[in-house]
Structures are given as structure tokens and as C-alpha cells.
Amino acid sequence: MEDRRGRIRTDADGNTADAVAATLGGILVYAVAAVLGHVSAAGGSVQTVGLQIALALAGLGGAMALWKRSGSLTLAWIIAVGLGARLALLPAAPLQSNDLYRYLWDGRVLAAGIDPYVVAPDAAQLAAMRGADSLYAHIDWNHVPTLYPPFDLALYTLGAWLGHLATSQFLPLKALLLVGDVFSMALIAALLHACKLPIGRLALYAWNPLVIVEFALNGHEESWAIAFLLATILAFRAEKTTLAAVAIAGAVLVKLYPAAFVPALFARRSFAPKALLVPAIVAVAYAPFVLWNSDVLGFLHAFAFGYHFNDSLHLLLGTFGSAAIFALALVVAGVARYRGANAIVVVLGCEIAYLLLSPNVYPWYVAVFAALLPLLPDAFAGTMRPLALALIAWTVLAPLAYLASWVVPMGSPLDIVAHVVEYVPIFAVLAYGAFARRRAIVALVASAVAFTGCGTTPPATLVARGEHVYATDCVVCHRPTTTSFIGPDLTHVAGRRSQANLAHHIATSVPGGTTFSPATVTSLVAYLTAIDRAHPRADANDRAHLRAESNERSRTK
């Protein structure tokens, strides 16, 4: 914790309350994880609910006590408890998710020389394998081919091969997935050191209940996606854009969706050429499968367009509406990045937009927030505090999505209540934040909209709307093509400023606190652009001639 002078406490400072809380929290995290592993091995998902609640209270309570502490003892305690809890859960079979069975199945299919992107588990071609393999009975979507990218398939194949050599078919693959989780802890520690932030913040990830359960118990490949995203951030921090491109390509080869973040992350002019490495690396990884069979997307299209689970805004907007809003969010992120936003903020914003607009939001998808929040200097202070608390609450509440498969039918009243409880904190915070910072948000969105239209001719309807708004609200101070006594001549303002810059200026600089909507700002930019093009600017000789004429008239008078 910080002392009264705001200094970061180290191990030597010795705060009794914090030390006791951190010690008890760590002991409880390990103890509860050990009991959870024993109980889950005996079967019964519902019976473990109380244990997972206890794990959440212990983990987050201990993380709060460690948040502002630094020192080698703090780091050692966080790592010891985090690894201990994970190792206690590692031998147990998956509890709430059957994905690990599919991972192993895909690995065995690929090892047998069969393309998992083409051949579904229930295909006649695999009849012999189904009869000899107990995994098939636990696969949820046995009628569709795989959608996992090449990096995942490589892990699954290695895990399946090692599983034949081990006493447990799960343990080798779960250990490989856990390596990504441990790698994430190491990267967070390195980033905290680079950013000069307390190492105690690592506990928010290392002791997070969702992270521990989903990666060590249920075994999900998301651990590697988070690790690659953190490596991307660290590479940008070190100004190694080539390494950043390689790292984000790794994330794409685990989960695909980070490909959408690439234009935003590399939005600065100096970064843009390195972004081309990302599709090149991904293409090389997919090349063997393309040569084998051109259909390398497998079940992806059906998963994105035909299925939905635990979604929020997607329920209201549909697939195409959500895609349009997500595209706009990515442009906003790109504009923010171009103006100087760091990679942590851009990735966090993109992740929030993606998960709120995605048709499928499984609990482990949300674990990324536990990795990103410790890297924000003011995560739990000032204006960021409500959002950070809401995101951490989301990591705690996300397992409520399992109710639909554990206890009650999907769409039942209890399932709907759980769905609402899960999403209320994040939407309440976002709604309040949008209202409190509406002018800044309007400016950013308007800049993004204008940015996408740079260099194009504004549509006539948009120009007409802008002309109407100008005549109604702006002409008193700014007369087009002439200088008034209040405001300057705006004839060529669109030529002097970029459209994004002009949109930002209009959205934030209107006197009297007036706020225009993004659509209104865009129409005004279109009108001013049309005026600029309709009145070509005079060249240097013309301006000199006009000044001479003006001086001559003055002398005549």
C-alpha cells in the first residue's frame, strides 16, 4: 500500500494489516484450489460453486492487499501461491467445459494424417477412431470440423502424443497450456518493472479465480493468446515493432480475432510497414493446410454467424449491426493510437468492444482483463476506477454463464437473471462514463468517421445537411467566404486542417458548452470541405496582386 505521503510500500516497510491480508489470502487461494481439485475429480459441477466463490474472495482480497507493494518477497509470494494453486488443479479432469476433449481429439486426428479442418469427428472416415477413443463421448460439437488455428493444432498434436506416454491423457496438454499462463505472469512482471509500477499488481492476474480455474482446471488455449498480446505490448514498449508484429501474429494463430486489432495498433505512420509481417506470418503458418485442402476455416463461419452464447449487445444489434459498430470502434482505436495512445489502452479498448459485440462470450474470454488492468498506472484511481472495478467484477461474474449448461435450460428465467447480473456492472459504468465524457467521445467518434472519409468527395445529402446546420447554428459567428466581426473566415479551414482534426475541433470547441452529435459534426466537415473545394485558394502571385490592389484602394481613399 501507499503510505500517507503516497509512496509505494516495499517489503521492508511492513504494514501489518496488509501483510496479514496478503498472507491469509495466499494461503486460502492455495487451500481452496487444492480442495476444488479434489472435489472436481470426484465429479459434480454444482457442488464446487461454493469453493469457487471462496476462491474469488480469497484471490481478490489478497490481490487488493498486495496492489501497491513491491519487493522480491512480494513477487516470490505471488508466484508461489499462483503456481501452487495451478498445480493443485492441473491433474483434475475439466470441470465446466469439454473443450479440452476436443483439443485432444483434433490433435489425434492431425497426428493420424487427417485434416481436422475438413473431417468432423462424426465422419464415417473416423469410425474406427471413435470406437477406440473415449474422448469422442465428451465432444460437444461432434458434427463440425475444427476452427482452431495452426498454433493451437500444434499444441494439441504434441499434447495428444505426450498423452499416450503419460498416465493421464489430459495432463501433458494441460501442462502445455499452463506454460502460456506462466509466460503471461512473467510478461506482466516485466511490464510492471518497465513501467515502474508495483510488482504486487501481478497478484490481480496470478490469483484471479477465473484465470486459475479456466486455465489450470478447465484447460483453455486463451492462456497463449493472452501471452502473445502481452508480448506485443512489451515489444511496443521497447520500440521493437518487428517483434510486436511477430507477437501479434502469434496471438492471431491462437484466437484469430486479434487480427482485427492490427490496423489500430500499427496506426502510426512509422509502424505501418511492419504490420505487413502479420498476414505474412499467418499465411506461412496456414500454407501447409491450404496446400492440403483449401478450406482452412472449418467451422469458423458457422460459429460466427450461426451460434451465440452469453452475448450482450449482439442480441440487440445482430451480426451485421455488431460488426459495423465494432469496425467503427476499431477506427476510433486507430485514431487514438495515431494521436499517441499506448498499446495497453488500445488493446484494452479493442477487447472491451470485441467482447461486448461478439456473438459468443465464454467465461475464459474475459480473463484477458485480469492481465491488462495491472498495467494501467491509474487503474483503480480517478476516472478509470469505475471501469476497472466493473471489468474485475466481470471476471468474477462471467462463470454465471455456465448456469445454462449446469443447472437450468438456456433462456429460462434464472438464466436470464444470471445474464443480467453478469453484464449490469460493465454496462452501468460505460453508460455513466459515456454521459460524463460525452463531448470527448463525440469528438473521437466524429474524428474516426471523418478519418474514414479523408480524400473522398462528400455526398450531396451530407453537404446539404451540413449547410443547414451551419446556417442555423454557426453563421452568426462564422460567415462562409467572408470574415465576420466574431469568428474567422472558414472558407478554406478544411484545406488547412485534416478532416479528423477539423471534426475534433468542431466537437470540442463550440462556445457555450454546445455539443453536436457525431453525425452533425460529420455533416459540418462535409460542408466545409465542399466550400473549400468550390473556392480554390489563390496562389502566391494572386495573393500578392490582391494585396497590391487593396493597398492601392487604401491610398486612393
Side-chain angles (χ1 to χ4, degrees):
M1 297 291 288
E2 289 182 354
D3 61 18
R4 293 182 180 179
R5 297 181 181 178
R7 296 176 301 187
I8 296 173
R9 290 191 180 277
T10 64
D11 297 325
D13 289 332
N15 182 290
T16 304
D18 288 343
V20 170
T23 302
L24 289 179
I27 292 172
L28 287 174
V29 165
Y30 174 75
V32 173
V35 174
L36 179 60
H38 176 74
V39 172
S40 62
S45 299
V46 177
Q47 293 87 333
T48 65
V49 172
L51 290 172
Q52 294 192 57
I53 293 174
L55 184 63
L57 294 174
L60 296 181
M64 288 175 60
L66 290 165
W67 181 253
K68 295 177 181 177
R69 297 190 68 87
S70 287
S72 57
L73 291 178
T74 297
L75 176 61
W77 181 238
I78 292 171
I79 296 297
V81 171
L83 287 179
R86 286 160 170 79
L87 293 175
L89 293 172
L90 197 64
L95 179 62
Q96 297 118 329
S97 168
N98 289 336
D99 281 7
L100 193 68
Y101 296 96
R102 181 58 185 261
Y103 299 167
L104 285 169
W105 176 270
D106 287 343
R108 292 179 182 178
V109 168
L110 185 58
I114 302 171
D115 189 350
Y117 288 121
V118 177
V119 181
D122 66 350
Q125 183 178 350
L126 300 178
M129 184 178 291
R130 288 196 297 273
D133 200 327
S134 61
L135 293 175
Y136 180 77
H138 299 281
I139 297 175
D140 290 329
W141 293 347
N142 54 23
H143 61 289
V144 295
T146 193
L147 51 70
Y148 298 110
F151 184 89
D152 292 338
L153 291 180
L155 283 178
Y156 304 162
T157 304
L158 179 58
W161 179 74
L162 293 173
H164 288 301
L165 306 177
T167 55
S168 169
Q169 61 180 339
F170 302 112
L171 189 59
L173 181 53
K174 288 182 73 174
L176 290 173
L177 297 173
L178 190 62
V179 171
D181 184 23
V182 175
F183 190 28
S184 294
M185 285 193 277
L187 287 167
I188 293 171
L191 281 162
L192 291 173
H193 177 75
C195 298
K196 295 181 172 54
L197 294 172
I199 196 64
R201 290 176 171 226
L202 175 60
L204 189 64
Y205 177 86
W207 296 6
N208 186 278
L210 183 70
V211 173
I212 294 172
V213 170
E214 294 299 343
F215 296 162
L217 179 59
N218 292 331
H220 286 291
E221 86 286 8
E222 200 84 16
S223 59
W224 277 101
I226 292 174
F228 280 121
L229 285 173
L230 291 168
T232 303
I233 293 170
L234 183 59
F236 274 121
R237 171 80 186 181
E239 299 182 354
K240 297 180 179 179
T241 52
T242 300
L243 187 57
V246 173
I248 194 69
V252 174
L253 291 173
V254 176
K255 288 294 290 186
L256 290 181
Y257 79 86
F261 302 174
V262 173
L265 284 169
F266 290 83
R268 296 177 191 171
R269 188 171 302 173
S270 60
F271 295 167
K274 300 297 177 63
L276 298 176
L277 286 172
V278 180
I281 294 170
V282 173
V284 169
Y286 269 102
F289 294 98
V290 173
L291 294 174
W292 196 357
N293 191 299
S294 59
D295 183 10
V296 294
L297 296 180
F299 178 51
L300 179 62
H301 183 274
F303 181 74
F305 291 92
Y307 290 80
H308 67 94
F309 175 80
N310 195 37
D311 48 341
S312 55
L313 288 179
H314 181 267
L315 280 173
L316 304 176
L317 300 174
T319 299
F320 293 103
S322 298
I325 299 299
F326 183 52
L328 180 59
L330 293 174
V331 175
V332 170
V335 171
R337 178 68 165 157
Y338 181 79
R339 292 179 177 174
N342 64 42
I344 302 169
V345 173
V346 171
V347 172
L348 178 64
C350 289
E351 286 283 358
I352 293 172
Y354 169 71
L355 291 174
L356 291 179
L357 294 164
S358 175
N360 295 282
V361 183
Y362 289 90
W364 56 91
Y365 291 9
V366 185
V368 67
F369 297 127
L372 295 176
L373 287 175
L375 308 179
L376 296 174
D378 298 324
F380 292 99
T383 57
M384 271 297 299
R385 182 183 178 89
L387 179 60
L389 290 173
L391 291 175
I392 288 301
W394 197 359
T395 68
V396 174
L397 298 173
L400 289 173
Y402 285 128
L403 279 178
S405 56
W406 280 13
V407 183
V408 298
M410 185 177 294
S412 65
L414 186 57
D415 179 46
I416 294 173
V417 170
H419 200 65
V420 171
V421 170
E422 177 187 351
Y423 281 103
V424 159
I426 184 64
F427 278 111
V429 168
L430 290 177
Y432 173 78
F435 177 78
R437 306 190 65 183
R438 54 192 180 279
R439 292 193 69 171
I441 292 173
V442 166
L444 196 57
V445 172
S447 297
V449 172
F451 181 81
T452 60
C454 283
T456 63
T457 301
T461 54
L462 197 60
V463 172
R465 181 183 177 187
E467 183 177 14
H468 174 73
V469 174
Y470 194 98
T472 304
D473 298 316
C474 309
V475 75
V476 175
C477 298
H478 301 282
R479 296 175 186 171
T481 73
T482 60
T483 300
S484 71
F485 291 105
I486 302 176
D489 174 14
L490 298 182
T491 306
H492 298 302
V493 67
R496 297 191 300 269
R497 296 174 178 264
S498 69
Q499 291 185 332
N501 180 272
L502 181 57
H504 181 269
H505 185 75
I506 293 172
T508 58
S509 303
V510 180
T514 303
T515 301
F516 290 134
S517 69
T520 300
V521 173
T522 303
S523 68
L524 285 170
V525 171
Y527 173 59
L528 293 172
T529 301
I531 292 177
D532 178 58
R533 294 175 181 175
H535 297 81
R537 281 167 285 183
D539 59 22
N541 293 331
D542 291 336
R543 288 195 294 271
H545 178 68
L546 291 172
R547 283 196 299 271
E549 285 187 346
S550 177
N551 292 336
E552 182 63 27
R553 284 195 299 269
S554 298
R555 286 194 296 270
T556 302
K557 291 180 181 180

